[in-house]
Amino acid sequence: RLFILKSDGLYAAGYNAGGQLGVGDTANKSSFTKCTVFTSSSEIKKVYPIGCTSGYTFVLTTDGKIYFAGTNNTGVCGDETTANKTSFTDVTQNWAGVSSGVKDIKVVGGTRYRDTADSGSKPSAVMLITLSDNTTILKACGLNNNGQLGDGTTTQRTTPVTPLNVPGGSVIDIAGFGGSGLTVQALASNGDLWAWGANGTGQVGDGTTTNRTTPIVVTTGVQ
């Protein structure tokens, strides 16, 4: 799917089975269609389309609000439900603990490999949130089969949780790969690289092939 900005708001085209275009329905769009909720391009600060098939989208607005649209059968929206969202829904309080004023976000995540049972619609998400005072918080939600939420369990979450051990306020960047069989890295300001999640081929970098449900430092001195 593809998002573009026009003077009167955000437009989207492409695959839309989970409502991830945020246009109010689940029909695929072969021409750009206006997303509901937003009325001006000046409202939009960042757009994160995640997942290849039944994915989801997070949007950060210029007034510091976080919105979600798309597949939510694992609760990745973070609003304690598992209902898909076909229009953008305000989830700022759920993720950031404030009603507005979020300065920045970065989202990593994905949806599980496609199969005939669920079309791969098993999303997870990890979000780095910068608040108005420039402090950062790390949150995660959704599918957790490989420990990708970092909360020490493999329990699916419909409310965002904080990955364990990673020092609060010190994370300056995050990365993730592997769809919802997700491996996550978080870089701290002191150069420590934390990692967790899927590790079947050693991608966590801890010298094992054991999935990590709890973040650990895998190397130091990273710039």
Side-chain angles (χ1 to χ4, degrees):
R1 60 198 184 280
L2 182 65
F3 290 87
I4 61 171
L5 281 177
K6 299 177 74 172
S7 60
D8 61 341
L10 187 66
Y11 285 71
Y15 193 70
N16 192 36
Q20 57 265 51
L21 299 184
V23 297
D25 59 40
T26 56
N28 295 344
K29 305 300 179 187
S30 59
S31 59
F32 283 102
T33 303
K34 193 173 188 294
C35 301
T36 56
V37 178
F38 309 118
T39 59
S40 170
S41 63
S42 63
E43 292 181 71
I44 309 300
K45 188 172 183 179
K46 283 190 172 181
V47 180
Y48 281 98
I50 306 290
C52 295
T53 52
S54 299
Y56 59 88
T57 308
F58 279 103
V59 168
L60 177 66
T61 59
T62 52
D63 61 352
K65 293 187 176 184
I66 303 167
Y67 287 81
F68 174 95
T71 305
N72 188 40
N73 60 341
T74 58
V76 71
C77 173
D79 68 347
E80 300 185 49
T81 76
T82 54
N84 290 355
K85 312 295 183 186
T86 61
S87 297
F88 281 101
T89 300
D90 185 348
V91 293
T92 317
Q93 187 70 48
N94 306 88
W95 282 87
V98 295
S99 60
S100 64
V102 173
K103 191 172 183 179
D104 200 7
I105 63 172
K106 183 174 183 179
V107 184
V108 299
T111 54
R112 195 171 57 77
Y113 62 85
R114 183 179 176 88
D115 66 19
T116 55
D118 58 27
S119 300
S121 55
K122 294 287 186 180
S124 56
V126 180
M127 186 184 300
L128 177 63
I129 302 166
T130 304
L131 300 174
S132 59
D133 62 359
N134 289 319
T135 59
T136 60
I137 59 175
L138 196 59
K139 293 289 182 178
C141 202
L143 186 69
N144 195 27
N145 59 329
N146 292 300
Q148 57 264 49
L149 303 187
D151 67 344
T153 77
T154 55
T155 302
Q156 181 175 298
R157 303 294 182 184
T158 61
T159 300
V161 295
T162 301
L164 300 175
N165 296 341
V166 183
S170 72
V171 177
I172 58 175
D173 201 4
I174 59 172
F177 58 90
S180 65
L182 190 64
T183 307
V184 185
Q185 298 86 26
L187 179 61
S189 56
N190 66 354
D192 288 351
L193 183 67
W194 295 78
W196 64 95
N199 194 31
T201 57
Q203 60 266 46
V204 166
D206 65 345
T208 78
T209 55
T210 302
N211 290 351
R212 292 290 180 181
T213 63
T214 301
I216 60 170
V217 175
V218 293
T219 191
T220 61
V222 179
Q223 298 183 356

